[in-house]
Amino acid sequence: AMNPTTITSTNFILKHEITKVTGNVTYSGFTATFLVAVNLAYSTLYNATITTGVKDLAGNALASNYTWNFTTGKAPLLPVDLGSAGNFVVLTKTGISTTGTASIVGDIGVSPAAATYITGFGLIADASNQFSTSSIVTGKVYAANYAPPTPTVMTTAISDMETAYNDAAGRTIPTATELGAGNIGGMTLAPGLYKWSSDLTIPTDVTLSGNANDVWIFQIAGNLDISSATHVILSGGAQAKNIFWQVAGVVDLGTTSHFEGNILGHTSITLETNATMNGRALAQTLVALQKATVTKPAP
């Protein structure tokens, strides 16, 4: 048992390098607690010291200073902010095409391309001429050449898409680099930031396991290819809205494959025959659908 009057911030000291951390010290039972005034920084080394100024109830002082070090954990991985691009399930700069009977749940749009670059949808212009509809789209279809305010809305959405791409590409301190030498088939991946300097292939099912708030970001410097009949599986409550695939090359989702998450593509995204996707296809060139299904993820 210690003399509580000696358990003070003068005798219980926390520092980062030479900077003292401000806070309050309490003593209860046999436990002294230092409560910081401001949250500690992530990934930072701290030094704690109990000085010889502390005494027990008989007045005996600690024989020598007691010190120890600890390092705080990494900052939590935050989702990529899609901005107004998140209002779309398919968004591109140069065009959207479909062959066969596709099914899209959510709004789609192109800019700066005109509506003529949205092919295979049988577009029906709304009376306002601000958007179109399609029998295969549960939502609205927008293009840069529609009536105001659509052009401005689309310009902002494309800008937000590019900003989101750069955000995802710029994340640092990856959980893993070159995992599986670019082949993650059969793996179960925890939340985190994953980075590859070339192509990524998924030849067999891959599982993303985490809770509803966990985030996955995949940085892919090459192409992303998912084999036919291969699935991205979510477990433990993981949500597609928190999964981001930043792809510098082309994306190809094979026939009857199933995909989860938001694709931020620098070039094209192709969903082959009967491929399904719970997420968003956001491409800086074009999106090609071949009798595919794309559903905007739950908010």
Side-chain angles (χ1 to χ4, degrees), residues 70 187 263:
F70 64 90
M187 294 185 181
I263 300 176

PDB file of all heavy atoms in Angstrom, residues 70 187 263:
ATOM      1  N   PHE A  70       6.629   1.507 -24.217  1.00  0.00           N
ATOM      2  CA  PHE A  70       5.599   0.801 -24.995  1.00  0.00           C
ATOM      3  C   PHE A  70       5.346   1.571 -26.284  1.00  0.00           C
ATOM      4  O   PHE A  70       5.617   2.780 -26.362  1.00  0.00           O
ATOM      5  CB  PHE A  70       4.297   0.635 -24.197  1.00  0.00           C
ATOM      6  CG  PHE A  70       3.611   1.930 -23.845  1.00  0.00           C
ATOM      7  CD1 PHE A  70       2.675   2.500 -24.699  1.00  0.00           C
ATOM      8  CD2 PHE A  70       3.896   2.579 -22.642  1.00  0.00           C
ATOM      9  CE1 PHE A  70       2.040   3.691 -24.380  1.00  0.00           C
ATOM     10  CE2 PHE A  70       3.256   3.763 -22.302  1.00  0.00           C
ATOM     11  CZ  PHE A  70       2.330   4.332 -23.177  1.00  0.00           C
ATOM     12  N   MET A 187      -7.603 -18.276 -49.969  1.00  0.00           N
ATOM     13  CA  MET A 187      -7.197 -17.634 -48.721  1.00  0.00           C
ATOM     14  C   MET A 187      -8.390 -17.036 -47.979  1.00  0.00           C
ATOM     15  O   MET A 187      -9.433 -16.744 -48.559  1.00  0.00           O
ATOM     16  CB  MET A 187      -6.179 -16.526 -48.986  1.00  0.00           C
ATOM     17  CG  MET A 187      -4.849 -17.002 -49.531  1.00  0.00           C
ATOM     18  SD  MET A 187      -3.690 -15.605 -49.648  1.00  0.00           S
ATOM     19  CE  MET A 187      -2.252 -16.440 -50.335  1.00  0.00           C
ATOM     20  N   ILE A 263     -15.064  -1.435 -56.812  1.00  0.00           N
ATOM     21  CA  ILE A 263     -13.902  -1.407 -57.695  1.00  0.00           C
ATOM     22  C   ILE A 263     -13.644   0.031 -58.124  1.00  0.00           C
ATOM     23  O   ILE A 263     -14.522   0.688 -58.699  1.00  0.00           O
ATOM     24  CB  ILE A 263     -14.105  -2.284 -58.934  1.00  0.00           C
ATOM     25  CG1 ILE A 263     -14.353  -3.741 -58.539  1.00  0.00           C
ATOM     26  CG2 ILE A 263     -12.892  -2.193 -59.853  1.00  0.00           C
ATOM     27  CD1 ILE A 263     -14.666  -4.647 -59.712  1.00  0.00           C
TER      28      ILE A 263
END
